[in-house]
Amino acid sequence: MISVAAPLWLLGLAVGPLLWWLHRARGHGRSVAVASILLFRDVPAPRSGGPRAPVTDPAWRRRVASVVLLTLALAGLTLYRPARELIVWVDDGPSMATREAGGTRLAAGFAALRRALPHDPATHIELRSLAEPGLRYEANQLAPLVRSREARVPASGAISTQAAQWLLTDGANAALEDWARGGAIERVIRVGTETENVGVVGLAVRTRLSDSARLDGTVTIFNAGRRPARRDLVLHLGREPVLRQSLELSAGQTQLLGFTLSRPPQDSAALEAHLSPSDALPEDDHLALDARALQRRRIRIGGGCPEAVRSAVAVEADLELAASAGTADIAVSCDADDGQLSEPAAQSLPTLVVAGRRDSRDAVTDAAWSAAASAVLSETLLPRMLVLRGAGRNPPPDAEPLLRSGAGTLAWRPADARRRVETRVDLGAPALAAAPEYPLLVGELLELAIGEPLIARVAASDRDPRTITIAPNAAASLGASSAADGVLPAAQRARRGTPLAPPLVAIAAVLILWDLAVSVRSTTRLARAERGA
Amino acid sequence: MSRLPAAELKSFARVAGHLLVDPPVRAAGSRGQRGRPGVGLEYFDHRYYEPGDELRHIDWRQSARRGAAVVRRYQVETSSEWILCLDASSSMCGGDGAKWRLASACATALAYAFLDMGHRVGMLIFSDAVVAACPLGRGVAHYPRLLRTLAEHVPARHGARSRLGSCIDRLAGRPCAFVLGDFLTADQMRRDLAALQARCLQLQVLRIASTGDATLPIAGHVTLVDRETGERVDGIVDASLERAARAADAAMERDLRGFCRAAGVPFSACAATRDWRSALVAHLRATHRP
């Protein structure tokens, strides 16, 4: 396959006929003296009678060939050999689900791809997903799935330099466009003309700190189109609409709406945001938030636990006591006097194991939290801490220390139970429980067991605004305007082709030198013949 | 015309002396004799009369003695007359003048050799007519006159045709003639050769050919102009035409060679790029009859 980088230069080929005509005229009038005309009896004579037949100087072939070769070299002729291996990178990001006249962009792209693919059975064709690295498609796949993840430029190691690289995209992903323009892609198959889309890009709620029975939330709407849009937003909690609002968004505008909800019951459905009317990409008109993320955590406190621990748990707004161990989300287990746990801690539950034996205690002097915990201990709390001593109170060697002091490790996470925190601090000591920071200490230990904060917890669901942008970027639009059937040659072909300019120029140079040599020789011989003896 | 080196001329004269003189007649059982029978004054031998012999050569005394007619033969004169005929037509300018240079060099060398052998040598330079002539002469003093005749004439570049017949009227007696030219003419040259042969005791022909005669400096559409006749022909010139011209030149030489063989005229051809010594020696060897 041969491509032309600068087709306008091909107009120079029109010089060929002109040169031929000039050489036809040039032959007249040159006479050569010969020793005897008898030797040239076979010379083809012009037509007798009519006008003299135009005869062309044979040099016109060399000169026209030189001009043609130089013109082709200037036009940037490049030879592309058919690759034995072809890799088609498929942009299967969310924007490829945009509904066009002929179905989704991805389906239309595959249809265009099937038309464009070479029918050479010797060519190995591989279709790779850009949204899910490692995923392969079949060329005859009719309705491939659109991925929820945004398509990304593949790693350079995944791009074979031996294979031809094609790209199937809608031009909405600027990174892919930049990649294609970088020269790695030999051909771009671009589909899609829709540009308008509005979507819900964020939904978040949190417990109001002043009133744990209410939730504050926000919903974010983004107009990814190029024109202003009007949408109606409805927010449902389960089946109950909790918010209705009409929105008017200018092009590229992001609008953030706040709302307040009563804390839903434990078995309530999801919180969902809907936009209407629907547009070319309906998938982003809806966003849901799991309502369970909004519920209080249920904590089960073992029977042998100090009352101070119960009091400290009660002040946490996001915690409520569980009626039974089966419904608990968190467990607090305290040592019994016989050394057994007051309630067996479930392996799957985040569990705080508190020491309960109080007969032998040491004062804590210089405690320090590990890097995994926040520093909530104040100097006022440290002097009140007592550390239990005795057999079974020491952490195993492979445990992860969480709180250290001069007396050794005070709190730790066992190596075989990553959601359990054990401590040998005497949480039932009256001096410690009377301290105002005591609930913070208990809360910190519970957060270490849960692995996330207890207060200011936010439940959120969002999507990247780039994933709802379906309009091709400016450069892609320029290319798409010249599209015939959706199959476009790349704006810039890859540099894999062999430029033909150097050999063409070399051949033209040889022809020019040859012509010069012939001209010089003819002139010399003619002068010598004229000079005679 | 540049003078040729004397040493080379002497060397060539010795070679030419051997090749130009016929071998001696040797009777069976007798000693060798120099010379050959012919027109002369000195007695050579007797032989029986054959039809065609002149009656005045019958030796009546010997005839009566032998009872059959016996004629007296005379030894041919050892010295003869050589006329060097040089073609100075415009076609001899071809090949960058190489043909004329070789022809004049050969004429110089032949003149020196013939004079060295004691012959009388004259020179006729002809084109449409005899344009320069040097009368017959003998001896060392005649050689410069021949050279001056050669040096004073240069072939015209255009318009000088080749007509060998113009020399015929200048041939007195029955001299030997040596013609040097390119013979790039049609049948006229052969007719002139036949007429010249009838007027000469001996005729030799050396054709000087040039590859440049069939080569054209430019290609394409040109007008070919005959140097001698001025005839013009428009046509397309390319490599195939040059090949055809070379073939026509070869055919012309072949025809001329055939004509000379049929007429008993010693003939040879040489290229204009050849040096005069090798060209003449090759000619003399090719035409020598042992």
Side-chain angles (χ1 to χ4, degrees):
Chain A
M1 188 167 56
I2 292 178
S3 77
V4 181
L8 279 180
W9 277 105
L10 295 181
L11 293 176
L13 295 177
V15 178
L18 177 64
L19 278 177
W20 172 76
W21 183 82
L22 289 174
H23 282 75
R24 278 166 68 92
R26 185 175 173 270
H28 299 296
R30 301 197 68 180
S31 59
V32 177
V34 295
S36 173
I37 205 75
L38 296 174
L39 299 178
F40 301 95
R41 282 173 298 199
D42 295 334
V43 62
R47 287 196 302 267
S48 59
R52 183 148 76 170
V55 182
T56 308
D57 185 351
W60 77 273
R61 293 187 182 89
R62 289 192 298 272
R63 292 163 189 170
V64 167
S66 304
V67 169
V68 168
L69 291 172
L70 288 176
T71 302
L72 294 178
L74 287 171
L77 228 60
T78 306
L79 174 66
Y80 292 90
R81 296 182 182 84
R84 305 291 292 175
E85 187 179 359
L86 173 63
I87 296 176
V88 183
W89 296 98
V90 179
D91 175 6
D92 48 358
S95 65
M96 292 297 282
T98 303
R99 274 63 165 176
E100 300 279 352
T104 67
R105 286 181 176 177
L106 198 55
F110 266 64
L113 180 63
R114 280 191 290 275
R115 292 194 298 271
L117 283 176
H119 298 290
D120 180 11
T123 304
H124 174 68
I125 302 171
E126 187 174 301
L127 279 64
R128 296 185 183 178
S129 166
L130 285 171
E132 295 288 342
L135 181 65
R136 304 286 190 270
Y137 289 113
E138 295 295 331
N140 55 4
Q141 197 163 343
L142 292 179
L145 295 175
V146 175
R147 306 293 151 182
S148 58
R149 295 176 52 183
E150 188 186 15
R152 295 181 179 180
V153 175
S156 57
I159 301 174
S160 168
T161 56
Q162 303 300 321
Q165 314 279 332
W166 288 15
L167 173 63
L168 169 61
T169 184
D170 58 357
N173 191 325
L176 294 183
E177 288 296 312
D178 292 341
W179 177 49
R181 279 194 295 272
I185 300 301
E186 181 177 299
R187 185 170 182 175
V188 176
I189 298 174
R190 186 171 293 120
V191 291
T193 56
E194 286 289 340
T195 60
E196 302 308 308
N197 184 41
V198 178
V200 184
V201 295
L203 183 59
V205 291
R206 60 177 292 177
T207 305
R208 180 177 291 183
L209 294 178
S210 60
D211 182 3
S212 62
R214 299 192 67 78
L215 304 174
D216 292 329
T218 60
V219 58
T220 308
I221 314 299
F222 174 51
N223 180 8
R226 294 174 178 170
R227 292 193 296 270
R230 186 189 298 273
R231 292 289 188 277
D232 293 328
L233 171 67
V234 180
L235 202 62
H236 288 272
L237 182 59
R239 293 183 178 179
E240 294 297 323
V242 294
L243 177 67
R244 287 182 185 275
Q245 188 156 355
S246 291
L247 305 173
E248 192 159 347
L249 299 103
S250 58
Q253 181 187 358
T254 302
Q255 191 159 348
L256 183 67
L257 295 174
F259 59 87
T260 301
L261 300 173
S262 297
R263 184 181 291 277
Q266 292 288 351
D267 57 349
S268 64
L271 179 64
E272 299 177 3
H274 290 278
L275 284 178
S276 61
S278 184
D279 51 24
L281 186 61
E283 279 79 2
D284 59 9
D285 294 342
H286 167 262
L287 189 62
L289 182 65
D290 189 354
R292 286 176 298 178
L294 308 176
Q295 305 307 319
R296 287 175 174 159
R297 288 190 177 88
R298 288 162 291 196
I299 186 168
R300 174 66 179 172
I301 301 176
C305 290
E307 194 58 31
V309 173
R310 292 177 183 274
S311 301
V313 166
V315 303
E316 296 288 345
D318 271 349
L319 292 179
E320 64 180 4
L321 292 174
S324 64
T327 60
D329 299 318
I330 312 169
V332 178
S333 179
C334 302
D335 280 353
D337 290 344
D338 57 0
Q340 299 297 319
L341 288 175
S342 56
E343 288 188 13
Q347 287 294 323
S348 60
L349 283 181
T351 305
L352 173 62
V353 179
V354 180
R357 193 184 296 273
R358 304 187 181 90
D359 51 352
S360 176
R361 295 181 278 264
D362 286 338
V364 175
T365 54
D366 52 349
W369 288 102
S370 71
S374 61
V376 297
L377 292 179
S378 65
E379 293 183 357
T380 58
L381 192 59
L382 282 174
R384 303 170 187 239
M385 269 191 195
L386 295 175
V387 180
L388 299 178
R389 291 187 307 179
R393 293 297 110 219
N394 293 325
D398 56 350
E400 177 190 0
L402 300 175
L403 179 62
R404 287 177 179 276
S405 76
T409 300
L410 304 182
W412 63 90
R413 196 193 311 273
D416 56 349
R418 305 307 300 171
R419 304 189 70 187
R420 192 168 75 181
V421 172
E422 298 182 14
T423 180
R424 56 180 182 145
V425 174
D426 184 5
L427 294 180
L432 181 62
E437 295 86 355
Y438 179 77
L440 291 179
L441 175 63
V442 174
E444 182 72 25
L445 292 172
L446 288 173
E447 285 182 353
L448 287 172
I450 297 169
E452 55 186 56
L454 285 174
I455 59 173
R457 185 158 57 101
V458 176
S461 175
D462 59 1
R463 58 169 59 98
D464 190 341
R466 289 177 299 179
T467 63
I468 72 168
T469 302
I470 64 171
N473 62 44
S477 300
L478 282 176
S481 63
S482 61
D485 58 351
V487 179
L488 290 180
Q492 293 179 347
R493 289 202 173 275
R495 276 63 174 170
R496 288 179 57 256
T498 305
L500 296 179
L504 290 176
V505 170
I507 296 172
V510 169
L511 285 176
I512 291 171
L513 290 176
W514 180 19
D515 193 54
L516 281 175
V518 170
S519 298
V520 169
R521 192 184 66 166
S522 295
T523 305
T524 307
R525 291 174 63 180
L526 193 58
R528 189 182 301 163
E530 291 297 325
R531 196 167 58 244
Chain B
M1 197 201 82
S2 60
R3 289 176 178 275
L4 303 181
E8 290 188 18
L9 288 174
K10 287 179 180 175
S11 171
F12 169 71
R14 283 196 298 274
V15 174
H18 288 292
L19 294 175
L20 277 174
V21 175
D22 289 338
V25 179
R26 183 185 296 270
S30 64
R31 63 180 176 84
Q33 293 179 326
R34 298 194 61 82
R36 59 187 173 89
V39 179
L41 299 175
E42 190 176 350
Y43 167 76
F44 183 71
D45 64 358
H46 284 93
R47 68 166 170 80
Y48 291 107
Y49 173 82
E50 290 180 355
D53 289 343
E54 293 192 24
L55 294 178
R56 62 189 176 98
H57 289 164
I58 295 176
D59 188 338
W60 297 109
R61 186 187 298 265
Q62 289 293 329
S63 298
R65 186 177 295 170
R66 298 188 185 186
V70 173
V71 295
R72 178 189 292 268
R73 294 200 302 175
Y74 299 91
Q75 186 172 340
V76 73
E77 291 284 351
T78 55
S79 64
S80 57
E81 297 173 345
W82 280 93
I83 299 294
L84 301 173
C85 301
L86 263 76
D87 181 3
S89 62
S90 297
S91 64
M92 292 295 282
C93 295
D96 200 12
K99 287 196 291 187
W100 175 250
R101 283 196 299 273
L102 180 60
S104 56
C106 289
T108 303
L110 286 172
Y112 184 91
F114 289 146
L115 290 173
D116 187 65
M117 284 185 279
H119 297 298
R120 299 177 70 210
V121 179
M123 182 176 290
L124 295 174
I125 300 175
F126 68 94
S127 55
D128 304 89
V130 175
V131 294
C134 181
L136 288 168
R138 190 197 305 273
V140 178
H142 189 59
Y143 180 64
R145 285 199 287 273
L146 290 168
L147 290 185
R148 268 199 303 277
T149 304
L150 266 177
E152 286 171 358
H153 184 77
V154 176
R157 281 161 47 181
H158 298 283
R161 301 188 180 202
S162 177
R163 200 164 71 83
L164 180 60
S166 61
C167 299
I168 295 175
D169 296 337
R170 299 294 191 99
L171 300 179
R174 287 175 60 84
C176 301
F178 201 112
V179 183
L180 299 102
D182 56 7
F183 296 89
L184 286 176
T185 54
D187 297 337
Q188 177 67 34
M189 183 67 86
R190 285 184 236 167
R191 285 198 295 272
D192 290 347
L193 276 176
L196 198 64
Q197 186 189 22
R199 297 287 300 272
C200 294
L201 190 63
Q202 184 181 359
L203 177 63
Q204 297 206 20
V205 174
L206 174 60
R207 183 180 190 244
I208 300 172
S210 171
T211 54
D213 293 341
T215 305
L216 293 170
I218 58 175
H221 179 232
V222 294
T223 300
L224 302 178
V225 182
D226 193 308
R227 287 183 183 277
E228 297 185 7
T229 64
E231 184 182 354
R232 304 171 74 88
V233 173
D234 286 349
I236 306 166
V237 172
D238 54 12
S240 63
L241 180 65
E242 291 188 340
R243 286 195 296 273
R246 285 194 290 273
D249 189 36
M252 196 175 283
E253 180 177 311
R254 196 164 51 247
D255 291 346
L256 183 61
R257 187 186 298 275
F259 168 79
C260 291
R261 184 183 299 115
V265 175
F267 172 87
S268 74
C270 70
T273 54
R274 211 164 173 184
D275 74 288
W276 64 267
R277 183 183 172 86
S278 65
L280 286 177
V281 170
H283 170 82
L284 295 177
R285 282 189 173 150
T287 58
H288 178 61
R289 288 175 297 195

